[in-house]
Amino acid sequence: AGVVSSVLATTLLFWLVQRREAGRVTPYLLATPVVSMAIGWGLMGDVLTPQILTGSAIAMGGVVLVALAERGLRAGAAKA
């Protein structure tokens, strides 16, 4: 599972970088722990505790914050 997910993630990353700027794609790598948790829960039957869910929410909040900040910087640069 680890090898397959690593190959799939790397392939997806290269595919995205070919179509978008690297700076726009790489913040989504921060979602890796959340995706791993979801795969563990969905396919392996892992138990989701409140601590895991809280950590996932914080991680995704960070991804959203970085993506929005990057979008704001782009909008500001385009106006200048």
Side-chain angles (χ1 to χ4, degrees), residues 33-69:
V34 177
V35 173
S36 298
M37 178 269 316
I39 291 171
W41 171 74
L43 299 178
M44 308 297 258
D46 290 349
V47 176
L48 299 180
T49 65
Q51 292 87 357
I52 291 173
L53 295 174
T54 301
S56 297
I58 291 170
M60 290 310 295
V63 171
V64 169
L65 185 67
V66 168
L68 290 176

Side-chain angles (χ1 to χ4, degrees), residues 1-12 39 43:
V3 171
V4 171
S5 65
S6 294
V7 169
L8 181 64
T10 303
T11 302
L12 180 61
I39 291 171
L43 299 178

Side-chain angles (χ1 to χ4, degrees), residues 3-25:
V3 171
V4 171
S5 65
S6 294
V7 169
L8 181 64
T10 303
T11 302
L12 180 61
L13 176 65
F14 283 118
W15 182 79
L16 286 170
V17 168
Q18 289 174 353
R19 286 159 179 72
R20 304 275 187 236
E21 298 112 24
R24 194 165 187 187
V25 172

